[in-house]
């Protein structure tokens, strides 16, 4: 109890910290308490395989990967960040993800595809076992044109959802919070997405988007605070990583566990990836969710337990952060149900650390990251100097997940480097 209060005090004071998850359980026990089991991940992996033909057709840049949306696994240069052990730190470079350049491609595009297939199936336009290319048929497109996809976003989810929806022929509407970047809004409008900006924070924007979608029968709502499909789309990333580790000859064992550092907003993307990783490696993988000191939504909800809903504001945090992708006061209810006992712990990081790591990643090895995406580096660095760190830390293979930034406009990126 004392330690818990201690952590709460650190959160209230905005001190960057490593906070072990007090609710973590052995993976097999944790999975018994999740609403569904690892079958969710297998389903998503199969769906991505099904949709690959369609994706390769819709997005020419995916022709080379036969329609797979995945990123490279890189070695961090030793002058960027050296590991506590003998191996290089690895970077799961989702900032380079094709199509939208952020991890939201995994969740957002997946949910739109699954919705599109369901709609076409309901209309009797897709036969069982038929290729996903059928979703390009003029008849199907005409059906999609009568429907729209709505979401609330700080920017990146809106782009992945909006782009996928518009490319398939849907209407699209995105509700953005005050912290949304102007270029992210402009980029959506160019796609023909209807963009509404609201004065409040992200949770307020999501609430407005949800109401707007409910009021329209032909609208489908991608709910960042409560979506199983988003979660599944992200979770499939674990299988991509497993194949890459395999190819690199990196084994994951009790003696050489995996430590993965995941930038965290509402918890959907890092939570989905955590769920997927734990379903593959169980107790041999440790996932650290990284949040801004000003917006530790998932950390405070995890500490508070599932009985009552809390927000970062309740802990004196103001949600003001340069990490626009992580600037959310409240966690996804769904993500919390799935990961509150699976996540190993949390790290909170200050904005100036994020900027430092954006700079370092660029100078050391030309990684073009947005501040949100650099959070994993800051977290690993903080944990290296924490004397009260976890017992698995020294022996682990460390993977920093970089979640977005390759598509930042030059002027935006130059401003971050200054
Ligand atoms: C959205 C986002 C995250 C976190 O995802 P959540 O599902 O909100 O937790 C991390 N990094 C970037 C760049 C993002 O856009």
């Amino acid at each position: 109890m004392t330690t818990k209060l201690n952590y709460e005090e650190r959160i209230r004071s905005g001190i960057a910290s490593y906070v072990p998850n007090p609710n973590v359980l052995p993976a097999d026990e944790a999975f018994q308490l999740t609403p569904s089991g690892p079958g969710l991940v297998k389903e998503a992996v199969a769906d991505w395989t099904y949709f690959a033909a369609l994706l390769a057709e819709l997005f020419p840049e995916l022709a080379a990967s036969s329609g797979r949306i995945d990123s490279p696994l890189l070695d961090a240069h030793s002058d960027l960040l050296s590991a506590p052990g003998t191996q290089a730190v690895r970077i799961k470079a989702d900032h380079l993800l094709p199509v939208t350049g952020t991890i939201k491609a995994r969740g957002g595009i997946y949910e739109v595809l699954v919705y599109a297939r369901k709609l076409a199936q309901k209309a009797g336009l897709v036969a069982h076992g038929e290729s996903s290319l059928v979703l390009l048929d003029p008849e199907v497109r005409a059906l999609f044109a009568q429907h729209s996809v709505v979401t609330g976003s700080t920017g990146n989810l809106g782009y992945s959802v909006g782009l996928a929806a518009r490319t398939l022929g849907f209407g699209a509407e995105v509700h953005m919070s005050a912290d949304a970047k102007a270029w992210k809004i402009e980029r959506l409008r160019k796609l023909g997405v209807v963009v509404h900006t609201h004065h409040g924070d992200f949770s307020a924007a999501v609430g407005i988007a949800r109401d707007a979608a409910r009021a329209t029968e032909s609208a489908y709502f991608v709910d960042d605070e409560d979506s199983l499909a988003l979660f599944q789309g992200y979770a499939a990333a674990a299988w991509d990583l497993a194949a890459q580790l395999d190819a690199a000859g990196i084994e994951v064992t009790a003696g050489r566990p995996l430590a993965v550092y995941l930038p965290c907003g509402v918890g959907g993307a890092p939570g989905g990836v955590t769920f997927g990783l734990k379903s593959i490696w169980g107790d041999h993988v440790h996932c650290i969710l990284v949040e801004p000191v000003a917006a530790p939504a998932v950390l405070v909800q995890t500490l508070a337990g599932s009985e009552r809903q809390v927000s970062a504001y309740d802990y004196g945090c103001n949600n003001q952060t340069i990490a626009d992708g992580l600037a959310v006061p409240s966690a996804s209810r769904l993500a919390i149900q799935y990961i509150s006992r699976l996540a190993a712990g949390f790290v909170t990081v200050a904005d100036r650390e994020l900027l430092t790591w954006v700079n370092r990643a660029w100078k050391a090895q030309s990684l073009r990251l947005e501040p949100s995406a650099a959070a994993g580096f800051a977290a690993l660095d903080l944990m290296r100097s924490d004397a009260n760190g976890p017992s698995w830390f020294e022996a682990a293979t460390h993977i920093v997940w970089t979640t977005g930034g390759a598509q930042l406009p030059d002027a935006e990126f130059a401003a971050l480097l200054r």
Side-chain angles (χ1 to χ4, degrees):
M1 202 63 203
T2 335
T3 37
K4 188 176 159 193
L5 278 179
N6 212 338
Y7 289 127
E8 286 190 13
E9 265 155 36
R10 292 176 73 88
I11 294 167
R12 286 182 184 280
S13 311
I15 302 169
S17 307
Y18 162 63
V19 183
N21 180 1
N23 306 324
V24 69
L25 289 177
D28 55 351
E29 288 174 44
F31 276 119
Q32 279 174 17
L33 297 169
T34 53
S36 315
L40 282 183
V41 196
K42 296 212 174 98
E43 185 180 69
V45 170
D47 284 341
W48 276 119
T49 302
Y50 168 78
F51 288 120
L54 174 67
L55 287 167
E57 197 62 31
L58 288 175
F59 301 106
E61 65 183 294
L62 293 179
S65 66
S66 310
R68 278 165 33 88
I69 297 180
D70 192 20
S71 67
L73 182 67
L74 309 172
D75 283 356
H77 291 182
S78 55
D79 51 350
L80 173 61
L81 187 64
S82 58
T86 51
Q87 316 171 63
V89 170
R90 263 77 183 191
I91 298 166
K92 181 59 180 156
D94 269 8
H95 67 288
L96 295 172
L97 271 183
V99 186
T100 66
T102 75
I103 195 168
K104 296 298 193 302
R106 297 187 183 276
I109 294 176
Y110 178 76
E111 178 153 5
V112 174
L113 289 171
V114 168
Y115 165 62
R117 177 178 61 189
K118 204 179 284 173
L119 200 63
Q121 278 171 343
K122 248 178 150 175
L125 296 172
V126 182
H128 196 73
E130 204 172 358
S131 158
S132 57
L133 290 169
V134 69
L135 299 182
L136 297 171
D137 283 359
E139 250 183 308
V140 177
R141 250 188 118 79
L143 171 72
F144 291 168
Q146 291 161 20
H147 294 79
S148 63
V149 181
V150 182
T151 195
S153 172
T154 63
N156 291 339
L157 182 64
Y159 186 56
S160 285
V161 166
L163 180 65
R166 295 295 297 144
T167 307
L168 284 165
F170 289 100
E173 197 175 307
V174 175
H175 294 259
M176 312 266 266
S177 48
D179 35 36
K181 300 272 180 281
W183 69 270
K184 291 186 177 177
I185 296 172
E186 201 40 49
R187 182 173 66 167
L188 278 170
R189 293 205 164 121
K190 281 207 185 104
L191 287 172
V193 174
V194 178
V195 182
H196 304 277
T197 53
H198 304 287
H199 286 304
D201 62 23
F202 169 79
S203 299
V206 171
I208 294 165
R210 194 181 286 126
D211 291 344
R214 272 203 195 119
T216 319
E217 212 190 305
S218 57
Y220 175 80
F221 183 51
V222 175
D223 193 338
D224 201 20
E225 292 183 333
D226 199 18
S227 164
L228 185 61
L230 280 180
F231 192 81
Q232 284 183 280
Y234 295 126
W239 285 58
D240 296 335
L241 178 64
Q244 288 171 322
L245 289 178
D246 218 30
I250 298 170
E251 284 188 46
V252 181
T253 62
R256 173 127 291 182
L258 208 57
V260 186
Y261 303 85
L262 294 152
C264 178
V266 295
V273 172
T274 295
F275 188 80
L277 294 173
K278 296 296 275 189
S279 74
I280 296 174
W281 289 299
D283 296 326
H284 299 160
V285 60
H286 306 281
C287 297
I288 301 291
L289 276 48
V290 191
E291 301 188 291
V293 288
V298 176
L299 168 57
V300 297
Q301 188 61 65
T302 304
L303 292 181
S306 53
E307 304 282 280
R308 65 196 170 103
Q309 224 176 315
V310 299
S311 83
Y313 301 129
D314 300 330
Y315 290 71
C317 305
N318 65 8
N319 196 39
Q320 297 299 308
T321 169
I322 190 167
D324 55 322
L326 314 181
V328 308
S330 306
S332 154
R333 290 173 291 283
L334 181 130
I336 291 288
Q337 286 182 328
Y338 278 94
I339 59 164
S340 60
R341 299 173 192 89
L342 285 171
F346 302 84
V347 171
T348 55
V349 295
D351 277 8
R352 66 174 178 283
E353 286 299 310
L354 297 179
L355 285 175
T356 299
W357 285 99
V358 167
N359 266 276
R360 283 194 193 158
W362 176 247
K363 290 200 179 107
Q365 66 188 100
S366 304
L367 306 177
R368 194 181 178 100
L369 304 181
E370 56 185 276
S372 300
F377 288 115
L380 172 51
D381 195 36
L382 182 143
M383 286 184 73
R384 279 198 310 180
S385 50
D386 187 333
N388 300 314
S391 57
W392 44 260
F393 189 75
E394 291 297 321
T397 298
H398 298 272
I399 298 186
V400 170
W401 211 290
T402 54
T403 46
Q407 294 190 9
L408 280 177
D410 290 341
E412 294 288 328
F413 191 60
L416 288 173
L417 295 180
R418 284 195 300 271

